[in-house]
Amino acid sequence: MRTIRTLLVSASLAIALLATTGCERHAKNESFYLISNNLKLPYWQNANAGFNRAAAQYGVTPHLRGPDGFDAQAELAEFQKAVASKPAGILISVADAALMTPDINSAVAAGIPVITIDSDAPNSHRLYFIGTNNLDAGKLGAERAVRRLNNKGNVVFFSNPGQPNLDDRLKGYIDVFQNHPQIKIVDVVNIKGDSGTAFDKSQQFLGKTGAEKIDAFICLEASAGKDVAEVLKRNHATDRLLIATDVDPETLNLIKGGVIDSTVAQKPYTMGYVGLKALDEIHHYLPAQFRTDYSVDSFSPFPVFVDTGTALVDKNNVEMFLQAAAEAQGK
């Protein structure tokens, strides 16, 4: 009996030790950073919600950093500050790949895991990219535009040229439109992170008539759609097509009301949630010294790209997205 009691006590101690060890894997002094531009957008609030949820599950400390508007230099400065704090890992949505690449390379060389989300820096040494297949997202929107325009019309885009994810979306549209020669791209407006520019330019474009009439307005980023929609509403321009990006509640309600035709939905919450968990895994289980050839290594511990998915939202399924948004906000 004594032997049995001894074994039971030993087993209990072993289980307790395993439980304690499991809890000690994570600690509040492990800091993870999410860095981006345009932090006031609902899109980044959703990404941060996913990031924070994963951090709470692991008991680690999350930090959200970056400018409220579009400012690549300010984003670089925040990245440099984060690197100087020697964090457990960094997620970053890259506004300017050429600007950010040297600092990403330096961080990875110093043993700090860096994963890009939403907007990539593919020529950097970042470990991999988590986000939307932006080329396919552009093609998804383009196919909708072709159907709604009946294969012909003048189109303008609103974007931040030079931002990798938006450039890829534009390329997706162009690839599809090339097969429809009666669809003409009139302009790609650089809003420079200010949706008010989209508002002003839309008013100008609405004044064009005849062969110069603009038939479709396409917004490649999250903020411009609502401003263009306001212009169309004020001018009762019900004969124009407006396609947006992302699913903040205002955009969804404008689809429900028929002002915005559709939007291409991404999954920023998933990007933040999966991203922090990936960084944590790397921090705890992989060597501090990273290589630079993971993208071409058949035995790499990392993927090149994790696609979080897209969907087209229109009047047929907008209620489902509105309900999901309400549930996420606890309403």
Side-chain angles (χ1 to χ4, degrees):
M1 290 293 293
R2 182 177 179 183
T3 301
I4 294 174
R5 283 198 299 271
T6 301
L7 289 172
L8 288 172
V9 170
S10 299
S12 298
L13 288 172
I15 292 169
L17 180 60
L18 285 171
T20 303
T21 303
C23 291
E24 288 179 349
R25 169 181 160 177
H26 302 103
K28 280 291 182 182
N29 63 3
E30 293 177 9
S31 292
F32 294 89
Y33 283 80
L34 171 58
I35 299 173
S36 183
N37 278 268
N38 293 314
L39 293 188
K40 284 189 174 180
L41 291 180
Y43 182 92
W44 286 110
Q45 295 167 17
N46 289 338
N48 192 44
F51 191 70
N52 285 339
R53 181 179 180 186
Q57 290 175 348
Y58 282 179
V60 298
T61 301
H63 302 278
L64 176 67
R65 296 288 186 271
D68 289 337
F70 183 83
D71 188 334
Q73 287 288 348
E75 182 185 48
L76 174 62
E78 290 293 348
F79 182 83
Q80 291 169 338
K81 291 176 187 176
V83 170
S85 73
K86 298 181 179 178
I90 299 173
L91 290 183
I92 182 167
S93 175
V94 178
D96 185 325
L99 178 68
M100 190 64 66
T101 289
D103 283 85
I104 291 175
N105 292 352
S106 296
V108 173
I112 297 172
V114 178
I115 293 174
T116 53
I117 66 167
D118 179 64
S119 183
D120 194 14
N123 296 319
S124 72
H125 297 162
R126 54 72 170 143
L127 300 182
Y128 58 97
F129 172 61
I130 298 173
T132 302
N133 184 324
N134 287 293
L135 186 67
D136 285 354
K139 290 179 179 179
L140 182 64
E143 288 162 359
R144 174 71 174 198
V146 167
R147 292 194 300 273
R148 299 293 285 155
L149 289 170
N150 293 317
N151 299 297
K152 63 181 179 180
N154 295 327
V155 178
V156 295
F157 288 91
F158 299 96
S159 186
N160 295 313
Q163 187 170 322
N165 56 340
L166 305 190
D167 289 348
D168 283 348
R169 288 173 205 168
L170 178 61
K171 186 178 185 304
Y173 274 92
I174 291 171
D175 287 351
V176 172
F177 288 172
Q178 284 177 344
N179 296 320
H180 303 274
Q182 289 185 285
I183 294 179
K184 180 183 177 183
I185 297 175
V186 174
D187 199 359
V188 179
V189 178
N190 184 356
I191 69 170
K192 299 180 181 178
D194 180 5
S195 63
T197 301
F199 182 94
D200 295 338
K201 292 294 289 186
S202 295
Q203 289 184 310
Q204 295 175 27
F205 285 128
L206 274 181
K208 295 182 179 294
T209 59
E212 294 186 343
K213 175 188 173 185
I214 302 303
D215 301 290
F217 300 87
I218 298 175
C219 305
L220 298 178
E221 52 77 64
S223 66
K226 300 181 288 295
D227 287 67
V228 177
E230 182 61 27
V231 172
L232 298 184
K233 283 199 300 182
R234 290 184 185 185
N235 291 274
H236 308 288
T238 58
D239 61 338
R240 314 300 170 100
L241 175 70
L242 173 54
I243 296 177
T245 299
D246 296 324
V247 289
D248 61 89
E250 191 172 354
T251 295
L252 294 175
N253 281 311
L254 286 163
I255 292 172
K256 186 176 178 179
V259 182
I260 295 178
D261 171 80
S262 52
T263 190
V264 177
Q266 302 180 86
K267 299 175 71 176
Y269 181 96
T270 306
M271 296 177 201
Y273 183 80
V274 171
L276 187 140
K277 291 199 166 190
L279 287 173
D280 180 86
E281 182 79 9
I282 294 166
H283 172 66
H284 284 284
Y285 289 116
L286 292 176
Q289 191 63 44
F290 298 110
R291 305 199 314 271
T292 61
D293 61 348
Y294 290 120
S295 63
V296 296
D297 180 1
S298 296
F299 299 94
S300 169
F302 308 120
V304 173
F305 168 46
V306 175
D307 185 354
T308 51
T310 54
L312 187 81
V313 184
D314 61 12
K315 272 193 170 184
N316 294 317
N317 60 357
V318 69
E319 286 290 353
M320 178 182 71
F321 282 84
L322 281 166
Q323 182 179 347
E327 289 173 354
Q329 296 168 7
K331 295 180 181 179

